[in-house]
Coordinates of all heavy atoms in Angstrom, one line a residue:
M1 N 3.9 -11.7 1.7 CA 3.1 -12.9 2.0 C 4.0 -14.0 1.4 O 4.6 -13.9 0.4 CB 1.8 -12.8 1.2 CG 0.9 -11.8 1.7 SD -0.7 -11.9 0.9 CE -1.8 -11.6 2.2
S2 N 3.7 -15.1 2.0 CA 4.4 -16.3 1.5 C 3.4 -17.3 0.8 O 2.2 -17.1 1.0 CB 5.1 -17.0 2.7 OG 4.1 -17.4 3.5
P3 N 3.9 -18.0 -0.1 CA 3.0 -19.0 -0.7 C 2.2 -19.8 0.2 O 2.8 -20.2 1.2 CB 3.9 -19.9 -1.7 CG 5.2 -19.1 -1.8 CD 5.3 -18.2 -0.6
S4 N 1.0 -20.1 -0.1 CA 0.2 -20.9 0.9 C 0.6 -22.4 0.6 O 1.2 -22.8 -0.3 CB -1.3 -20.7 0.6 OG -1.6 -20.8 -0.8
S5 N 0.3 -23.1 1.7 CA 0.7 -24.6 1.7 C -0.2 -25.3 0.6 O -1.4 -25.0 0.5 CB 0.4 -25.2 3.0 OG 1.2 -24.5 4.0
P6 N 0.4 -26.4 0.0 CA -0.4 -27.1 -0.8 C -1.5 -27.9 -0.1 O -1.3 -28.3 1.0 CB 0.6 -28.1 -1.4 CG 1.9 -27.5 -1.1 CD 1.8 -26.7 0.1
S7 N -2.7 -27.9 -0.7 CA -3.8 -28.6 -0.2 C -4.5 -29.5 -1.1 O -4.6 -29.1 -2.3 CB -4.8 -27.6 0.5 OG -5.3 -26.8 -0.5
S8 N -4.7 -30.7 -0.8 CA -5.4 -31.6 -1.6 C -4.6 -31.9 -2.9 O -5.2 -32.0 -4.0 CB -6.8 -31.2 -2.0 OG -7.5 -30.9 -0.8
G9 N -3.3 -31.9 -2.8 CA -2.4 -32.2 -3.9 C -2.2 -31.0 -4.9 O -1.6 -31.2 -5.9
S10 N -2.8 -29.8 -4.7 CA -2.6 -28.8 -5.6 C -1.9 -27.7 -4.8 O -2.0 -27.5 -3.7 CB -3.9 -28.2 -6.2 OG -4.7 -27.7 -5.1
S11 N -1.1 -26.9 -5.6 CA -0.4 -25.8 -4.8 C -1.0 -24.4 -5.4 O -1.3 -24.4 -6.6 CB 1.1 -25.8 -5.1 OG 1.3 -25.8 -6.5
R12 N -1.0 -23.5 -4.5 CA -1.6 -22.2 -4.8 C -0.6 -21.2 -4.3 O -0.2 -21.2 -3.1 CB -2.9 -22.0 -4.2 CG -3.8 -21.0 -4.7 CD -5.1 -20.8 -4.0 NE -4.8 -20.1 -2.8 CZ -5.8 -19.8 -1.9 NH1 -6.9 -20.4 -2.0 NH2 -5.5 -19.1 -0.9
V13 N -0.3 -20.1 -5.0 CA 0.6 -19.0 -4.6 C -0.3 -17.9 -4.2 O -1.1 -17.4 -5.0 CB 1.6 -18.7 -5.8 CG1 2.5 -17.6 -5.3 CG2 2.5 -19.9 -6.1
A14 N -0.1 -17.4 -3.0 CA -0.7 -16.2 -2.6 C -0.3 -15.0 -3.3 O 0.9 -14.9 -3.7 CB -0.6 -16.0 -1.1
S15 N -1.1 -14.0 -3.5 CA -0.6 -12.8 -4.3 C 0.3 -12.0 -3.3 O 0.1 -12.0 -2.1 CB -1.8 -12.0 -4.8 OG -2.5 -11.5 -3.6
V16 N 1.2 -11.3 -3.9 CA 2.1 -10.5 -3.2 C 1.8 -9.1 -3.5 O 1.7 -8.6 -4.7 CB 3.6 -10.8 -3.5 CG1 4.5 -9.9 -2.8 CG2 3.9 -12.2 -3.1
S17 N 1.6 -8.3 -2.5 CA 1.3 -6.8 -2.8 C 2.6 -6.0 -3.0 O 3.6 -6.4 -2.4 CB 0.6 -6.3 -1.6 OG 0.6 -4.9 -1.6
S18 N 2.6 -5.0 -3.8 CA 3.7 -4.1 -4.0 C 4.1 -3.5 -2.6 O 5.2 -3.1 -2.4 CB 3.4 -3.1 -5.0 OG 2.3 -2.3 -4.6
W19 N 3.1 -3.4 -1.7 CA 3.5 -2.8 -0.4 C 4.4 -3.8 0.5 O 5.0 -3.4 1.5 CB 2.1 -2.6 0.5 CG 1.4 -1.5 -0.1 CD1 1.8 -0.5 -0.8 CD2 -0.1 -1.6 -0.2 NE1 0.6 0.3 -1.1 CE2 -0.4 -0.3 -0.9 CE3 -1.1 -2.3 0.2 CZ2 -1.8 0.0 -1.1 CZ3 -2.4 -2.0 0.0 CH2 -2.7 -0.8 -0.6
D20 N 4.5 -5.1 0.1 CA 5.4 -5.9 0.8 C 6.9 -5.6 0.4 O 7.8 -6.1 0.9 CB 5.1 -7.4 0.4 CG 3.7 -7.8 1.0 OD1 3.3 -7.3 1.9 OD2 3.1 -8.7 0.4
V21 N 7.0 -4.9 -0.7 CA 8.3 -4.7 -1.2 C 8.8 -3.2 -1.1 O 10.0 -2.9 -0.8 CB 8.4 -5.1 -2.8 CG1 9.8 -4.9 -3.4 CG2 7.8 -6.5 -3.0
W22 N 7.9 -2.3 -1.4 CA 8.2 -0.9 -1.4 C 7.3 -0.1 -0.4 O 6.2 -0.6 -0.1 CB 8.0 -0.2 -2.7 CG 8.9 -0.7 -3.8 CD1 10.3 -0.4 -3.9 CD2 8.6 -1.6 -4.8 NE1 10.8 -1.1 -5.0 CE2 9.8 -1.8 -5.5 CE3 7.5 -2.3 -5.3 CZ2 9.8 -2.7 -6.7 CZ3 7.6 -3.1 -6.4 CH2 8.7 -3.3 -7.1
P23 N 7.7 1.0 0.1 CA 6.9 1.7 1.2 C 5.7 2.4 0.5 O 4.6 2.6 1.1 CB 7.8 2.7 1.8 CG 8.9 2.9 0.8 CD 9.1 1.6 0.1
V24 N 5.7 2.6 -0.8 CA 4.6 3.3 -1.5 C 4.2 2.2 -2.5 O 5.1 1.9 -3.4 CB 4.9 4.6 -2.2 CG1 3.7 5.1 -2.9 CG2 5.5 5.5 -1.1
G25 N 2.9 1.8 -2.6 CA 2.5 0.8 -3.5 C 1.1 1.0 -4.0 O 0.4 1.8 -3.5
V26 N 0.8 0.2 -5.0 CA -0.6 0.2 -5.6 C -1.2 -1.1 -5.5 O -0.4 -2.1 -5.9 CB -0.5 0.7 -7.1 CG1 -1.8 0.7 -7.8 CG2 0.1 2.0 -7.2
E27 N -2.4 -1.2 -5.3 CA -3.1 -2.5 -5.2 C -4.5 -2.3 -5.7 O -5.1 -1.2 -5.6 CB -3.2 -3.0 -3.7 CG -3.5 -4.4 -3.5 CD -3.2 -4.7 -2.1 OE1 -3.9 -4.4 -1.2 OE2 -2.3 -5.6 -2.0
W28 N -5.1 -3.3 -6.3 CA -6.4 -3.3 -6.9 C -7.4 -3.6 -5.9 O -7.4 -4.6 -5.1 CB -6.5 -4.3 -8.1 CG -7.9 -4.4 -8.6 CD1 -8.7 -5.5 -8.5 CD2 -8.7 -3.5 -9.4 NE1 -9.9 -5.3 -9.1 CE2 -9.9 -4.0 -9.7 CE3 -8.3 -2.2 -9.8 CZ2 -10.8 -3.3 -10.5 CZ3 -9.3 -1.5 -10.5 CH2 -10.5 -2.1 -10.9
D29 N -8.4 -2.7 -5.7 CA -9.5 -2.9 -4.7 C -10.6 -3.4 -5.6 O -11.3 -2.6 -6.2 CB -9.9 -1.5 -4.0 CG -10.9 -1.7 -3.0 OD1 -11.8 -2.7 -3.0 OD2 -11.0 -0.9 -2.0
E30 N -10.8 -4.7 -5.5 CA -11.9 -5.3 -6.4 C -13.3 -4.8 -6.0 O -14.2 -4.6 -6.8 CB -11.9 -6.8 -6.3 CG -12.7 -7.5 -7.3 CD -12.3 -9.0 -7.4 OE1 -11.3 -9.4 -7.1 OE2 -13.2 -9.7 -7.9
F31 N -13.6 -4.6 -4.7 CA -14.8 -4.2 -4.1 C -15.3 -2.8 -4.7 O -16.4 -2.7 -5.3 CB -14.9 -4.1 -2.7 CG -16.2 -3.7 -2.0 CD1 -17.3 -4.7 -2.0 CD2 -16.3 -2.5 -1.4 CE1 -18.4 -4.2 -1.6 CE2 -17.5 -2.1 -0.9 CZ -18.7 -3.0 -1.0
R32 N -14.3 -1.9 -4.7 CA -14.6 -0.5 -5.3 C -14.2 -0.3 -6.7 O -14.4 0.8 -7.3 CB -13.8 0.4 -4.3 CG -14.4 0.5 -2.9 CD -13.8 1.6 -2.1 NE -12.4 1.4 -1.9 CZ -11.5 2.4 -1.4 NH1 -12.1 3.6 -1.0 NH2 -10.3 2.2 -1.2
S33 N -13.5 -1.3 -7.3 CA -13.1 -1.3 -8.7 C -12.2 -0.1 -8.9 O -12.3 0.7 -9.8 CB -14.2 -1.2 -9.6 OG -15.0 -2.4 -9.6
L34 N -11.2 0.1 -8.0 CA -10.3 1.2 -8.0 C -8.8 0.7 -7.7 O -8.6 -0.3 -7.0 CB -10.6 2.2 -6.9 CG -11.9 3.1 -7.1 CD1 -12.2 3.9 -5.9 CD2 -11.8 3.9 -8.4
H35 N -7.9 1.4 -8.3 CA -6.5 1.2 -7.9 C -6.1 2.1 -6.7 O -6.4 3.3 -6.8 CB -5.6 1.6 -9.2 CG -5.9 0.7 -10.3 ND1 -5.3 -0.6 -10.4 CD2 -6.7 0.8 -11.3 CE1 -5.7 -1.0 -11.5 NE2 -6.6 -0.3 -12.2
I36 N -5.7 1.6 -5.7 CA -5.4 2.3 -4.4 C -3.8 2.4 -4.3 O -3.1 1.4 -4.2 CB -6.0 1.6 -3.2 CG1 -7.5 1.3 -3.4 CG2 -5.7 2.4 -2.0 CD1 -8.4 2.5 -3.6
A37 N -3.4 3.6 -4.3 CA -2.0 3.8 -4.0 C -1.9 4.3 -2.6 O -2.7 5.2 -2.1 CB -1.4 4.9 -4.9
R38 N -0.9 3.8 -1.8 CA -0.8 4.1 -0.4 C 0.6 4.1 0.0 O 1.4 3.4 -0.3 CB -1.6 3.1 0.5 CG -1.6 3.4 2.0 CD -2.4 2.5 2.7 NE -2.1 1.0 2.6 CZ -1.2 0.4 3.3 NH1 -0.6 1.0 4.2 NH2 -1.0 -0.9 3.1
C39 N 0.9 5.1 0.9 CA 2.2 5.1 1.5 C 2.3 4.6 2.9 O 1.3 5.1 3.7 CB 2.7 6.6 1.5 SG 4.3 6.8 2.3
Q40 N 3.1 3.6 3.2 CA 3.1 3.0 4.5 C 3.7 3.9 5.6 O 3.5 3.8 6.7 CB 3.9 1.6 4.5 CG 3.2 0.6 3.7 CD 4.0 -0.7 3.7 OE1 3.7 -1.6 4.5 NE2 5.0 -0.8 2.9
Q41 N 4.6 4.8 5.1 CA 5.2 5.7 6.1 C 4.4 6.8 6.6 O 4.5 7.1 7.8 CB 6.5 6.2 5.4 CG 7.5 5.2 5.1 CD 8.8 5.7 4.4 OE1 8.7 6.8 3.7 NE2 9.9 5.0 4.6
C42 N 3.6 7.5 5.8 CA 2.8 8.6 6.2 C 1.3 8.3 6.1 O 0.5 9.2 6.5 CB 3.1 9.9 5.4 SG 2.5 9.9 3.7
A43 N 1.0 7.2 5.6 CA -0.5 6.7 5.5 C -1.2 7.6 4.6 O -2.5 7.4 4.5 CB -1.1 6.7 6.9
E44 N -0.6 8.3 3.7 CA -1.4 9.0 2.7 C -1.9 8.1 1.6 O -1.2 7.1 1.3 CB -0.6 10.1 2.0 CG -1.3 11.1 1.2 CD -0.6 12.4 0.8 OE1 0.5 12.5 1.3 OE2 -1.1 13.0 -0.2
A45 N -3.0 8.2 1.0 CA -3.5 7.4 -0.1 C -4.1 8.2 -1.1 O -4.5 9.3 -1.0 CB -4.6 6.4 0.6
F46 N -4.2 7.4 -2.3 CA -4.8 8.0 -3.5 C -5.6 6.8 -4.3 O -5.0 5.7 -4.3 CB -3.7 8.5 -4.4 CG -4.1 9.0 -5.8 CD1 -4.7 10.3 -5.9 CD2 -4.0 8.2 -6.9 CE1 -5.1 10.7 -7.2 CE2 -4.4 8.6 -8.2 CZ -5.0 9.9 -8.3
A47 N -6.7 7.1 -4.6 CA -7.6 6.2 -5.3 C -8.0 6.7 -6.7 O -8.2 7.9 -6.9 CB -8.9 5.9 -4.6
S48 N -7.9 5.8 -7.7 CA -8.1 6.1 -9.1 C -8.6 4.9 -9.9 O -8.2 3.8 -9.6 CB -6.9 6.7 -9.8 OG -7.2 6.9 -11.1
S49 N -9.4 5.1 -10.9 CA -9.9 4.1 -11.8 C -8.8 3.8 -12.8 O -8.7 2.8 -13.4 CB -11.2 4.4 -12.5 OG -11.0 5.6 -13.2
S50 N -7.8 4.7 -12.9 CA -6.7 4.5 -13.9 C -5.4 4.0 -13.1 O -4.9 4.7 -12.2 CB -6.4 5.9 -14.4 OG -5.2 5.9 -15.2
P51 N -4.9 2.9 -13.6 CA -3.7 2.4 -13.1 C -2.5 3.4 -13.3 O -1.6 3.5 -12.4 CB -3.4 1.1 -13.7 CG -4.3 1.1 -15.0 CD -5.4 2.0 -14.7
A52 N -2.5 4.0 -14.4 CA -1.4 5.0 -14.7 C -1.4 6.2 -13.7 O -0.4 6.6 -13.3 CB -1.6 5.5 -16.2
Q53 N -2.6 6.7 -13.4 CA -2.7 7.8 -12.4 C -2.2 7.3 -11.1 O -1.5 8.0 -10.3 CB -4.1 8.3 -12.3 CG -4.5 9.1 -13.4 CD -6.0 9.7 -13.3 OE1 -6.8 9.1 -12.5 NE2 -6.3 10.7 -14.0
A54 N -2.6 6.1 -10.6 CA -2.1 5.6 -9.3 C -0.6 5.4 -9.4 O 0.1 5.8 -8.4 CB -2.8 4.3 -9.1
D55 N 0.0 5.0 -10.5 CA 1.3 4.8 -10.5 C 2.1 6.2 -10.5 O 3.2 6.4 -9.8 CB 1.8 4.1 -11.8 CG 1.7 2.6 -11.8 OD1 1.5 2.0 -10.6 OD2 1.5 1.9 -12.8
D56 N 1.5 7.1 -11.2 CA 2.1 8.5 -11.2 C 2.1 9.0 -9.8 O 3.0 9.6 -9.5 CB 1.3 9.3 -12.2 CG 1.5 9.2 -13.6 OD1 2.5 8.4 -14.0 OD2 0.7 9.7 -14.5
W57 N 1.0 8.8 -9.1 CA 1.0 9.3 -7.7 C 2.1 8.7 -6.8 O 2.8 9.4 -6.1 CB -0.4 8.9 -7.1 CG -0.6 9.5 -5.7 CD1 -1.0 10.8 -5.3 CD2 -0.2 8.9 -4.4 NE1 -1.0 10.9 -3.9 CE2 -0.4 9.9 -3.4 CE3 0.4 7.7 -4.1 CZ2 -0.2 9.5 -2.0 CZ3 0.6 7.4 -2.7 CH2 0.2 8.3 -1.7
T58 N 2.4 7.5 -6.9 CA 3.4 6.9 -6.2 C 4.7 7.4 -6.6 O 5.7 7.5 -5.8 CB 3.4 5.2 -6.4 OG1 3.7 4.9 -7.7 CG2 2.2 4.6 -6.0
D59 N 5.0 7.7 -7.9 CA 6.3 8.3 -8.4 C 6.5 9.7 -7.8 O 7.6 10.0 -7.5 CB 6.3 8.3 -9.9 CG 6.4 6.9 -10.5 OD1 6.7 5.9 -9.8 OD2 6.1 6.8 -11.7
L60 N 5.4 10.4 -7.7 CA 5.5 11.8 -7.3 C 5.3 12.0 -5.8 O 5.6 13.1 -5.3 CB 4.4 12.7 -8.0 CG 4.6 12.7 -9.5 CD1 3.4 13.3 -10.2 CD2 5.9 13.3 -10.0
H61 N 4.8 11.0 -5.1 CA 4.5 11.2 -3.6 C 5.8 11.5 -2.9 O 6.9 10.9 -3.0 CB 3.9 10.0 -3.1 CG 3.7 10.0 -1.6 ND1 2.8 10.8 -1.0 CD2 4.4 9.4 -0.7 CE1 2.8 10.7 0.4 NE2 3.9 9.8 0.6
R62 N 5.8 12.5 -1.9 CA 6.7 12.8 -1.0 C 6.0 13.0 0.4 O 5.1 13.7 0.5 CB 7.4 14.2 -1.3 CG 8.1 14.1 -2.7 CD 9.3 13.2 -2.7 NE 9.9 13.0 -3.9 CZ 9.7 12.0 -4.9 NH1 8.8 11.1 -4.6 NH2 10.3 12.1 -6.0
C63 N 6.6 12.2 1.3 CA 6.1 12.2 2.7 C 6.4 13.5 3.4 O 7.4 14.1 3.1 CB 6.7 11.1 3.5 SG 6.3 9.4 3.0
D64 N 5.5 13.9 4.3 CA 5.7 15.0 5.1 C 6.5 14.5 6.4 O 6.1 13.6 7.1 CB 4.3 15.5 5.7 CG 4.5 16.7 6.7 OD1 5.6 16.9 7.3 OD2 3.5 17.4 6.9
P65 N 7.7 14.9 6.5 CA 8.6 14.3 7.6 C 8.1 14.4 9.0 O 8.3 13.6 9.7 CB 9.9 15.1 7.4 CG 9.9 15.9 6.2 CD 8.4 16.0 5.7
E66 N 7.4 15.5 9.3 CA 6.8 15.7 10.6 C 5.7 14.7 10.8 O 5.6 14.1 11.9 CB 6.3 17.1 10.8 CG 7.4 18.1 10.9 CD 6.8 19.5 11.0 OE1 5.5 19.6 11.1 OE2 7.7 20.4 11.1
L67 N 4.8 14.4 9.8 CA 3.8 13.4 10.0 C 4.4 12.0 10.1 O 3.9 11.2 10.9 CB 2.9 13.5 8.8 CG 1.8 12.4 8.6 CD1 0.9 12.6 9.9 CD2 0.9 12.6 7.5
V68 N 5.5 11.7 9.3 CA 6.2 10.4 9.4 C 6.7 10.3 10.9 O 6.5 9.1 11.5 CB 7.2 10.2 8.4 CG1 8.1 8.9 8.7 CG2 6.7 10.2 7.0
A69 N 7.2 11.1 11.4 CA 7.8 11.1 12.8 C 6.7 10.8 13.8 O 6.8 10.1 14.7 CB 8.6 12.3 13.1
L70 N 5.6 11.7 13.6 CA 4.5 11.5 14.6 C 3.9 10.2 14.5 O 3.6 9.5 15.5 CB 3.5 12.6 14.2 CG 2.2 12.6 15.2 CD1 2.5 12.8 16.6 CD2 1.2 13.6 14.6
L71 N 3.7 9.6 13.3 CA 3.0 8.3 13.2 C 4.0 7.1 13.7 O 3.6 6.3 14.3 CB 2.8 8.1 11.7 CG 1.6 8.8 11.1 CD1 1.5 8.5 9.6 CD2 0.2 8.4 11.8
A72 N 5.3 7.3 13.5 CA 6.2 6.4 14.1 C 6.3 6.4 15.5 O 6.2 5.3 16.2 CB 7.6 6.7 13.5
L73 N 6.1 7.7 16.1 CA 6.0 7.7 17.6 C 4.8 7.0 18.1 O 4.9 6.3 19.0 CB 6.1 9.2 18.0 CG 5.9 9.5 19.5 CD1 7.2 9.0 20.2 CD2 5.7 11.0 19.7
V74 N 3.6 7.4 17.5 CA 2.3 6.7 18.0 C 2.4 5.1 17.8 O 1.9 4.4 18.6 CB 1.2 7.3 17.2 CG1 -0.1 6.7 17.5 CG2 1.0 8.9 17.5
T75 N 2.9 4.7 16.6 CA 2.9 3.4 16.4 C 3.9 2.6 17.3 O 3.6 1.5 17.8 CB 3.3 3.1 14.9 OG1 2.6 3.8 14.0 CG2 3.4 1.6 14.6
D76 N 5.1 3.3 17.6 CA 6.0 2.6 18.6 C 5.3 2.6 20.1 O 5.6 1.5 20.7 CB 7.3 3.4 18.6 CG 8.2 3.2 17.3 OD1 7.9 2.3 16.6 OD2 9.1 4.1 17.1
Q77 N 4.6 3.5 20.4 CA 4.0 3.5 21.6 C 2.9 2.4 21.8 O 2.7 1.7 22.9 CB 3.3 4.8 22.0 CG 4.4 5.9 22.3 CD 3.8 7.3 22.6 OE1 2.6 7.4 22.5 NE2 4.5 8.2 23.1
R78 N 2.2 2.2 20.7 CA 1.1 1.2 20.7 C 1.8 -0.2 20.7 O 1.2 -1.1 21.2 CB 0.2 1.3 19.5 CG -0.8 2.3 19.7 CD -2.0 2.2 18.6 NE -1.4 2.5 17.4 CZ -2.1 2.7 16.3 NH1 -3.3 2.4 16.2 NH2 -1.6 3.0 15.1
A79 N 2.9 -0.3 20.0 CA 3.6 -1.7 20.0 C 4.2 -2.0 21.3 O 4.3 -3.2 21.6 CB 4.6 -1.7 18.9
A80 N 4.6 -1.1 22.1 CA 5.2 -1.4 23.4 C 4.3 -1.9 24.4 O 3.2 -2.0 24.4 CB 5.9 0.0 23.9

């Protein structure tokens, strides 16, 4: 995400998700009060009230190569 445009003389910076930088990231879900770890490549996700557990999941996560290939195929077909 890019910073939002200044309005009324004040500037505000939009938050940047770790998903914008890495394929596996953690984000805070305020509605559910949980840390959500998610992989953009295989769409696997993990939710925890503990940020350390969510970070551990991202460190240990390994994608299923067949699932990644299948999701890429489906995504490419929808984009075409």
Side-chain angles (χ1 to χ4, degrees):
M1 296 181 137
S2 61
S4 48
S5 302
S7 59
S8 305
S10 66
S11 64
R12 194 180 86 184
V13 176
S15 64
V16 175
S17 168
S18 59
W19 294 323
D20 295 331
V21 182
W22 295 287
V24 181
V26 177
E27 199 166 69
W28 174 248
D29 183 333
E30 193 167 335
F31 180 73
R32 296 188 293 171
S33 297
L34 292 172
H35 297 274
I36 309 297
R38 181 175 57 91
C39 177
Q40 294 185 97
Q41 294 178 335
C42 72
E44 191 172 349
F46 175 80
S48 176
S49 59
S50 164
Q53 285 181 341
D55 283 337
D56 287 347
W57 184 89
T58 64
D59 291 340
L60 299 173
H61 173 72
R62 298 295 175 262
C63 293
D64 177 341
E66 291 178 0
L67 180 58
V68 171
L70 179 61
L71 288 171
L73 178 67
V74 172
T75 303
D76 288 344
Q77 286 179 353
R78 277 194 292 189

